[in-house]
Amino acid sequence: MPKLWGGRFTKGVSRLMGEFNDSLPFDKRLWSEEIEASTAYSAALAKAGVFTKSEQAKVAKALREISKEFADNRFRFKPEDEDIHTAIERRLVEKIGDTGKKIHTGRSRNEQVATDERLFLRTANSMAVDLIRELQSSVRELAAKTTGDILPSYTHLQQAQLVRLGHYFMSLFFMLQNDRVRFEDLTPRIGVLPLGSGAVAGSTIKLDRELLRRELDFAALTPNSIAAVSDRDFMADFMYAASQTLIHLSRFAEDLIMWSSTEFAFVELDDAYSTGSSMMPQKKNPDSLELIRGKVSRTIANLNSLLILQKGLPLTYAKDLQEDKEPLFDSVDTLFSSIRVFTGVISTLKIRRQNLMRNTDDSIYATDVADYLVERGVPFREAHKIVGRLVLSGSENGRRLRDFTRNELNSISTLFDDGYYKIFDPELSVERHDVYGGTSLKRVREQIALAGKMLATTKHHRR
Ligand code: ARG
């Protein structure tokens, strides 16, 4: 069978060019979106008088049957099918003959592909929101279970100050909240319908675009046909949101990988999310988290591909844009599988409580000691210097801060009293950080309560 556009040609494309040109191998994933959009389009064509009522009913019925063929894996592609749009139109004509040939009246694949992509992303976007919400809820549960556990926090990967483990996990919750809202904010930008734009200048048929919008449940219509067929900014938005989400996950993956090492031993991954070594029998490797850390590189690369694809591209549609789909699909798949696996890791994670403070020495209380002196009237900069000297002398003589005698302390500052020895208590240390957003029990519980409210709210209507 010749190509759908074959009239102007005297011979076919080379096999090489055929394979190079076809997007079917990857855009067949858009079959249900293509059928949904074509069904709506047939209704608009009927209203415009292109189809009679009974012709349109025949088209809609055939499209339903084709949809069933895809769902049952019975749809047979033909060599002349270039992409999902031509494949479905070809099958429609096969099924109902000449009536089917009218479906493309006033229509262009340029608007079809943009429409199908928006339909696809609408579903993917709301799925991303749901998956992030599920992960957030597991993270919140874990945080609630670990508010009583205290461990060192790190800056520059050096021990900094003690924090509640629940406080640490809540930091992931709030980063994910930003991610979720970022996806939710895309909803109105994705939900704009291009159908009716034609190839570039707008349809010549008197299409009721408002009817198309209602049929496909979009919030708005693209107000300019040139922008409608040219732009893929909504897709780049999604791909950035996906990258940022996975960047967040990759940082926590990295911490948990370190924490599951023998050196830290703060956590243990469930067997279900670990794998062994083919050679070293003792190994239990955190492959799940390593893969999440690694896979973000794909979503960042995919985002870059799409941006580079559009840079300097002349308006309006050019075939370059066919290259938008593989990066998009890969980002969607990578995002979903990474979030799902991360959720599994979090909800089965074992905390090795006894090790959390194992490698913490008294120097982690250095800021507390400085604050203690500040409370006794020493200016902070001065206090910082005094404690610095204590820490240095301790590390030179192998002594902990709490081992200094009153005499030794008073030779440095007369302000030290017996209250000094009460400083070295993890619970007291974290409780002193009692500011909104801080690590005291009350403040962490406040965060967990806020998180509960956030989980219950959605910013935008789904479409
Ligand atoms: N397969 C094409 C794509 O994915 C569909 C649009 C083709 N349009 C055209 N005028 N050749 O972008």
Side-chain angles (χ1 to χ4, degrees):
M1 243 213 358
K3 296 280 189 190
L4 289 177
W5 39 258
R8 189 225 178 280
F9 291 77
T10 50
K11 60 177 195 172
V13 296
S14 71
R15 221 183 64 157
L16 191 63
M17 172 57 190
E19 279 168 16
F20 195 59
N21 186 49
D22 291 353
S23 53
L24 188 66
F26 46 89
D27 72 11
K28 61 182 177 204
R29 183 162 172 173
L30 295 171
W31 66 265
S32 73
E33 288 81 3
E34 176 62 24
I35 290 175
E36 198 183 342
S38 289
T39 308
Y41 194 71
S42 72
L45 284 182
K47 188 163 179 202
V50 175
F51 285 131
T52 64
K53 262 206 145 51
S54 77
E55 280 175 336
Q56 196 259 326
K58 239 164 81 179
V59 171
K61 179 166 171 280
L63 287 172
R64 276 198 301 278
E65 287 163 9
I66 295 172
S67 173
K68 189 97 179 43
E69 289 172 15
F70 274 105
D72 300 344
N73 229 341
R74 278 187 289 114
F75 189 94
R76 293 274 158 269
F77 292 108
K78 296 254 166 88
E80 69 269 21
D81 297 340
E82 257 179 61
D83 52 27
I84 193 63
H85 323 289
T86 50
I88 288 174
E89 188 180 331
R90 185 263 307 155
R91 181 73 185 124
L92 181 69
V93 175
E94 247 171 44
K95 285 176 83 73
I96 61 171
D98 281 353
T99 309
K101 290 184 181 165
K102 290 201 253 173
I103 187 75
H104 209 56
T105 313
R107 188 174 73 162
S108 160
R109 282 183 287 163
N110 299 353
E111 59 179 333
Q112 277 173 274
V113 69
T115 300
D116 294 356
E117 287 172 338
R118 284 174 185 273
L119 281 166
F120 173 83
L121 257 188
R122 171 164 91 179
T123 310
N125 196 59
S126 102
M127 187 75 184
V129 169
D130 289 343
L131 287 174
I132 294 176
R133 193 198 302 272
E134 274 166 45
L135 172 55
Q136 281 183 293
S137 146
S138 301
V139 168
R140 181 174 174 264
E141 259 171 54
L142 183 58
K145 273 192 253 167
T146 53
T147 49
D149 300 311
I150 296 173
L151 81 168
S153 64
Y154 297 80
T155 64
H156 312 266
L157 201 50
Q158 306 286 323
Q159 289 188 4
Q161 295 180 326
L162 294 176
V163 292
R164 294 186 179 279
L165 184 53
H167 188 217
Y168 172 87
F169 285 126
M170 285 312 291
S171 74
L172 172 57
F173 179 95
F174 291 111
M175 291 186 205
L176 288 169
Q177 177 68 13
N178 284 347
D179 293 327
R180 182 157 64 90
V181 171
R182 229 185 312 278
F183 282 110
E184 286 175 356
D185 283 346
L186 293 186
T187 311
R189 279 203 293 291
I190 294 171
V192 190
L193 179 65
L195 222 49
S197 299
V200 47
S203 182
T204 49
I205 308 293
K206 293 264 167 288
L207 284 177
D208 182 350
R209 292 192 69 203
E210 188 51 34
L211 177 144
L212 285 167
R213 187 193 66 73
R214 278 196 311 274
E215 287 284 318
L216 292 169
D217 195 16
F218 272 71
L221 292 168
T222 51
N224 178 295
S225 61
I226 292 174
V229 298
S230 305
D231 206 1
R232 299 290 185 266
D233 63 344
F234 61 98
M235 217 183 253
D237 283 346
F238 179 93
M239 285 158 85
Y240 165 66
S243 300
Q244 183 55 71
T245 305
L246 292 193
I247 286 170
H248 284 151
L249 294 194
S250 78
R251 295 187 67 178
F252 284 85
E254 167 61 9
D255 272 8
L256 292 176
I257 289 166
M258 276 194 300
W259 288 7
S260 61
S261 67
T262 311
E263 287 72 12
F264 276 88
F266 288 178
V267 297
E268 187 178 341
L269 262 64
D270 195 78
D271 283 2
Y273 295 98
S274 315
T275 57
S277 155
S278 58
M279 187 195 171
M280 298 167 282
Q282 84 281 14
K283 294 277 271 183
K284 180 171 172 184
N285 297 327
D287 297 40
S288 49
L289 295 169
E290 294 166 69
L291 281 168
I292 289 166
R293 188 179 57 187
K295 277 185 191 287
V296 62
S297 62
R298 298 169 74 121
T299 59
I300 296 171
N302 291 336
L303 169 63
N304 277 297
S305 289
L306 182 71
L307 295 175
I308 295 165
L309 198 60
Q310 293 180 80
K311 183 199 167 292
L313 191 70
L315 269 69
T316 57
Y317 178 87
K319 198 59 170 268
D320 311 46
L321 289 175
Q322 177 163 289
E323 294 290 312
D324 63 354
K325 280 169 282 296
E326 284 165 294
L328 172 67
F329 294 154
D330 187 66
S331 282
V332 168
D333 295 340
T334 303
L335 176 72
F336 290 0
S337 58
S338 301
I339 299 178
R340 286 191 174 111
V341 170
F342 199 89
T343 306
V345 171
I346 286 291
S347 54
T348 57
L349 192 68
K350 203 169 115 204
I351 309 296
R352 303 175 74 179
R353 302 203 146 74
Q354 69 283 9
N355 294 336
L356 295 176
M357 293 289 287
R358 193 177 58 167
N359 294 313
T360 307
D361 68 60
D362 281 359
S363 62
I364 200 143
Y365 297 100
T367 321
D368 301 73
V369 177
D371 288 345
Y372 158 92
L373 289 172
V374 167
E375 278 159 29
R376 278 153 187 78
V378 183
F380 178 77
R381 200 40 67 209
E382 188 64 27
H384 188 283
K385 204 185 288 168
I386 294 172
V387 183
R389 263 189 268 139
L390 270 184
V391 170
L392 178 66
S393 138
S395 76
E396 280 169 355
N397 306 315
R399 291 168 75 205
R400 301 178 302 170
L401 284 181
R402 73 184 79 181
D403 295 335
F404 288 94
T405 64
R406 265 297 292 275
N407 280 343
E408 285 169 320
L409 292 170
N410 288 141
S411 71
I412 297 172
S413 163
T414 52
L415 291 167
F416 281 111
D417 58 23
D418 280 346
Y420 173 83
Y421 299 100
K422 297 213 180 87
I423 293 174
F424 308 96
D425 175 339
E427 195 64 35
L428 280 183
S429 176
V430 292
E431 280 310 288
R432 293 177 56 250
H433 300 269
D434 189 30
V435 63
Y436 180 76
T439 203
S440 74
L441 187 60
K442 180 177 127 199
R443 298 309 186 168
V444 176
R445 284 193 176 141
E446 209 166 62
Q447 294 170 42
I448 293 172
L450 173 64
K453 283 195 204 123
M454 285 174 162
L455 282 175
T457 51
T458 306
K459 231 181 124 189
H460 294 281
H461 183 255
R462 270 314 162 75
R463 301 216 153 156

